[in-house]
Amino acid sequence: MPATLSSSDSNDRSPDLRSPLLSPTRKPTEERESEKLCIDDMLQKYCGQFGPWQMRHFVLTSLAWALEAFHTMVMIFADREPDWRCLGGAAGSGCDVTARTVCGLKPGSWEWTGGLGSSTVAEWGLVCEEKYKVGLAQALFFGGCMIGAGIFGHLSDSFLGRKGSLTVVCIMNTIFGCLTAFSPNYWIYVLLRLLTGFSTGGVGLCAFVLATEPVGPTKRGTAGMSTFYFFSTGIAILSGIAYIFPQWRELYIASSIPSLLFLLAVLPFVSESPRWYLVRGRITEAMKLMRAIAKSNNKHLPEGVVLALDEEANNDSPTTNEEDQTYKELLDSKDAISGSLIDVVKLPMTRMRLFLAVAINFLCSVVYYGLSLNVVNLETNLYINVLLNAVAEMPAFTITAILLDKYGRKPLAIGTLWFSGVFCFAGSFVGNAGAWKVVKMVCGILGIFGMAGTYNLLFIYTTELFPTVVRNAALGCATQAAQMGAILSPFVVVLGGGLPFAVFAVCGIAGGVFAFYLPETLNKPLYDTMAGMEDGEGACRSVN
């Protein structure tokens, strides 16, 4: 009978119907364990360390370095002292054609060959007793960079994120860069350069961290070294732009428009850092991005894999699906983990690292920007000189990228600093006349060759020395120190003679000495939290 069968069938199946409520112990074959992994382990094991996704993201993000090169090095062309010529050419006009400077010449007896609009120096008469204003404008730009690096370093670690901060600085660069072209007088020009520097200071550090954080540990060093190709390429392109637009106002507009193009055409295709998502407690978005990375790299990220912070991933005990889901819900609802420079200073390990990173970045910047700005004193074609310096940097990036994972960060930092210091020391004894002028130029090129490799390496080194929660804040502090060195570099160049090269030599050699006290970070993980780094480094010391 149907009724009887239904009743019997119901009685037979009653244990199964009640099973979800009773939650009986599962059979071992039915229970699925999951694993908690930090981002580095997940990239290595499942997503791929540097596949098509990372390549596309790396190239798009690193294009921002060319923008920083435009806004920084434009001063070489906009603030240059152009050539001049005597009017009439007749004797007794008050103009001496053999004079090396216009100082002391009779007003109206000479003129700038490119016209008053060729540079700020020509338009506002920034020569002779007013020449200090050129250095002041350049120094205040780097001062703005120093302030901006600290502020945007903090904002990119906190609520704005890496991509949000990069968006803001590019908007500001576009606005202030274009407004600079309409400066009615010198002091408005200086103010706008200061504001441009403020936004420019955040471009490089945000772009660097955003480009390298999704890269696996064994590929991160090479990828990080490659970011500076974009900076050098930007300088080389700027030489061409400056040649096409010789008037300084046109040049500022032409060098600022690319920031707008980057905002509209590139940034929409750039993703936020999964590490930032993780430390901000946004695990769902972090996992979604990691799955997208795996899919784009033709990899598979299993459902049972859980993204975790360092100290949580160190717990190797397996978890079931129910425990995994509970963990995800807890991590999604937990407060964001944050940090600041105060936390860096409190911990002895990171305090010493920060001090050394600040000192080395400062000394390196004095040499790098000093040698870059010193091209105006070589009395040769300015456009060619800037182009050659940019080209000279590129082999340094290639060589350091090749040697980076073979010899490590520390030996390479010491070697490049001392390489630059030695050639700067030799340049300090060389005169600036006849054939010796060429020798001095070669010393300068080799000096910038070595220091370009160091400058590139320091971004990677500093990034790996600190955990995610304070990484951009620490990098911002080191960048601030670098901007302080850049502020001093124009005044070192003004010394003239062999003194600038002597100062550069001392800075390079001293920087190499400081690098001796930094730890090696080759093949070390990128820690997420201060506690995770302390535990990880402590475990390494106990093993050794």
Side-chain angles (χ1 to χ4, degrees):
M1 301 290 291
T4 304
L5 290 173
S6 177
S7 176
S8 175
D9 200 31
S10 176
N11 290 336
D12 291 341
R13 295 177 181 173
S14 58
D16 292 332
L17 293 173
R18 292 194 305 270
S19 61
L21 299 176
L22 297 175
S23 299
T25 304
R26 292 182 178 179
K27 296 179 181 179
T29 57
E30 296 175 347
E31 183 172 322
R32 185 177 182 180
E33 295 181 353
S34 66
E35 55 181 333
K36 293 184 289 185
L37 295 175
C38 63
I39 288 182
D40 275 349
D41 291 338
M42 189 175 288
L43 288 170
Q44 287 181 295
K45 195 170 183 179
Y46 296 112
C47 301
Q49 297 194 63
F50 197 78
W53 190 96
Q54 284 100 336
M55 172 63 78
R56 178 186 61 84
H57 183 264
F58 173 81
V59 171
L60 292 178
T61 306
S62 297
L63 288 173
W65 279 101
L67 306 180
E68 180 173 349
F70 290 166
H71 292 286
T72 302
M73 297 303 180
V74 68
M75 67 179 70
I76 296 178
F77 302 100
D79 298 340
R80 76 187 190 281
E81 182 174 332
D83 294 330
W84 57 275
R85 64 190 173 202
C86 290
L87 293 174
S93 64
C95 181
D96 182 5
V97 294
T98 62
R100 297 179 60 87
T101 175
V102 297
C103 298
L105 298 182
K106 184 179 179 181
S109 65
W110 60 275
E111 66 176 1
W112 301 109
T113 55
L116 294 178
S118 59
S119 76
T120 58
V121 171
E123 182 160 338
W124 294 316
L126 307 181
V127 292
C128 305
E129 66 273 8
E130 298 291 314
K131 191 173 184 178
Y132 76 94
K133 290 183 177 180
V134 176
L136 178 62
Q138 296 175 353
L140 288 176
F141 171 84
F142 288 120
C145 290
M146 180 182 67
I147 299 171
I151 292 178
F152 286 106
H154 172 72
L155 291 177
S156 62
D157 279 336
S158 56
F159 69 94
L160 266 185
R162 279 74 161 123
K163 182 179 178 180
S165 296
L166 186 58
T167 302
V168 171
V169 295
C170 286
I171 292 173
M172 295 175 67
N173 268 348
T174 303
I175 295 173
F176 295 136
C178 289
L179 287 177
T180 303
F182 300 96
S183 302
N185 56 59
Y186 169 79
W187 295 110
I188 297 297
Y189 172 77
V190 168
L191 175 62
L192 289 170
R193 285 299 287 162
L194 173 67
L195 294 174
T196 305
F198 174 78
S199 54
T200 302
V203 173
L205 69 94
C206 292
F208 182 86
V209 174
L210 185 58
T212 55
E213 280 193 336
V215 178
T218 63
K219 306 295 183 181
R220 191 180 303 121
T222 302
M225 294 297 289
S226 300
T227 59
F228 278 79
Y229 283 109
F230 295 86
F231 186 82
S232 297
T233 302
I235 297 176
I237 293 173
L238 179 64
S239 297
I241 295 175
Y243 184 80
I244 297 171
F245 299 97
Q247 302 294 299
W248 74 270
R249 294 183 186 274
E250 296 175 355
L251 177 58
Y252 269 108
I253 294 177
S255 60
S256 299
I257 293 299
S259 294
L260 178 62
L261 297 177
F262 182 82
L263 276 168
L264 300 177
V266 177
L267 266 180
F269 302 98
V270 172
S271 301
E272 181 55 87
S273 168
R275 297 180 189 275
W276 181 81
Y277 279 141
L278 181 60
V279 298
R280 297 298 294 176
R282 296 163 64 173
I283 183 65
T284 301
E285 291 161 283
M287 285 298 300
K288 182 180 179 181
L289 183 55
M290 295 302 287
R291 290 191 183 95
I293 294 174
K295 182 178 180 181
S296 180
N297 292 345
N298 295 318
K299 302 283 186 177
H300 175 64
L301 183 60
E303 290 296 328
V305 178
V306 184
L307 198 57
L309 296 169
D310 294 320
E311 61 265 30
E312 293 162 336
N314 288 335
N315 182 8
D316 296 328
S317 58
T319 58
T320 63
N321 285 342
E322 286 83 357
E323 293 170 335
D324 175 40
Q325 183 62 34
T326 302
Y327 170 77
K328 288 181 180 180
E329 292 172 355
L330 286 173
L331 194 54
D332 266 331
S333 62
K334 71 189 295 185
D335 293 334
I337 300 175
S338 61
S340 66
L341 285 177
I342 296 176
D343 300 307
V344 178
V345 174
K346 283 182 179 178
L347 189 66
M349 178 193 304
T350 52
R351 181 170 61 241
M352 179 56 68
R353 292 182 180 187
L354 183 65
F355 168 78
L356 293 172
V358 164
I360 297 171
N361 273 272
F362 172 82
L363 295 170
C364 176
S365 186
V366 171
V367 182
Y368 178 80
Y369 284 106
L371 289 172
S372 297
L373 296 176
N374 198 52
V375 295
V376 298
N377 295 326
L378 297 181
E379 299 179 5
T380 53
N381 188 286
L382 182 62
Y383 303 101
I384 298 298
N385 278 339
V386 173
L387 178 62
L388 288 177
N389 273 357
V391 171
E393 295 178 10
M394 295 183 184
F397 303 153
T398 303
I399 293 173
T400 49
I402 293 173
L403 301 179
L404 185 66
D405 291 330
K406 184 176 182 180
Y407 296 104
R409 282 64 166 150
K410 182 175 177 177
L412 206 55
I414 297 171
T416 53
L417 282 163
W418 283 358
F419 181 91
S420 179
V422 167
F423 281 100
C424 287
F425 183 72
S428 65
F429 292 99
V430 178
N432 198 27
W436 292 110
K437 185 189 297 185
V438 177
V439 175
K440 193 163 192 173
M441 182 182 68
V442 171
C443 288
I445 291 175
L446 291 174
I448 205 168
F449 171 87
M451 201 53 67
T454 308
Y455 208 87
N456 190 4
L457 172 64
L458 285 178
F459 263 80
I460 301 170
Y461 211 169
T462 307
T463 297
E464 295 178 342
L465 287 171
F466 302 94
T468 302
V469 291
V470 295
R471 182 168 298 125
N472 261 25
L475 186 58
C477 186
T479 305
Q480 282 183 299
Q483 300 305 336
M484 289 182 66
I487 291 171
L488 292 179
S489 60
F491 301 105
V492 175
V493 172
V494 171
L495 295 174
L499 286 178
F501 275 93
V503 174
F504 301 152
V506 171
C507 290
I509 294 172
V513 173
F514 280 124
F516 264 109
Y517 297 95
L518 284 173
E520 180 57 70
T521 59
L522 178 63
N523 293 330
K524 295 287 186 67
L526 275 186
Y527 296 104
D528 294 319
T529 63
M530 300 289 284
M533 189 192 72
E534 193 171 13
D535 293 342
E537 294 294 317
C540 290
R541 285 195 297 270
S542 63
V543 170
N544 294 333

